[in-house]
């Protein structure tokens, strides 16, 4: 059950062949292009392939709207977390003041 199995393609003849067939080296022969010095006129250099993503105006609007939405959501979450911490701190401070006044009141009565 835990031993690896190599996938095979069983044929109706009973012969078992692997799924990947070897390629023939003759099919991958390199192409020979004529040298650039063979012609006597000047060519413009080929433009360098650009890796920059090009956006249409609609695509740009979608990206801007998505970014603004993400900023609003993250900002809302962060502000709510800050408010939760502030409310918790205020309630703990109120509890501490009440406990201190109760404990001081007991010491004065004795």
């Amino acid at each position: 059950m835990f031993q690896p199995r190599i996938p095979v393609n069983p044929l109706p003849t009973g012969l078992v062949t692997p799924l990947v067939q070897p390629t023939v080296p003759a099919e991958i022969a390199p192409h020979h292009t004529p040298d650039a010095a063979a012609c006597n006129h000047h060519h413009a250099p080929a433009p360098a392939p650009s890796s920059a993503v090009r956006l249409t105006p609609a695509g740009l609007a979608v990206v801007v709207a998505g970014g603004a939405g993400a900023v609003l959501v993250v900002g809302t979450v962060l502000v709510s977390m800050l408010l939760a911490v502030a409310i918790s701190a205020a309630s703990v401070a109120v509890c501490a003041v009440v406990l201190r006044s109760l404990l001081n009141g007991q010491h004065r009565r004795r």
Side-chain angles (χ1 to χ4, degrees), residues 23-62:
T23 58
V24 179
E27 295 175 3
I28 327 174
H31 296 82
H32 291 292
T33 58
D35 293 333
C39 60
N40 293 331
H41 56 281
H42 298 286
H43 293 276
S50 176
S51 63
V53 177
R54 297 176 192 253
L55 292 175
T56 61
L60 184 63
V62 168

Side-chain angles (χ1 to χ4, degrees), residues 1 7 13 23 26 33 40 49-51 67 73 76 79 82 84 88 92 94 98-99 101-102 104:
M1 180 173 133
T13 59
T23 58
T33 58
N40 293 331
S50 176
S51 63
V73 168
T76 302
V79 167
L82 178 66
S88 299
V92 167
V94 168
V98 169
L99 283 175
S101 68
L102 288 175
N104 283 340

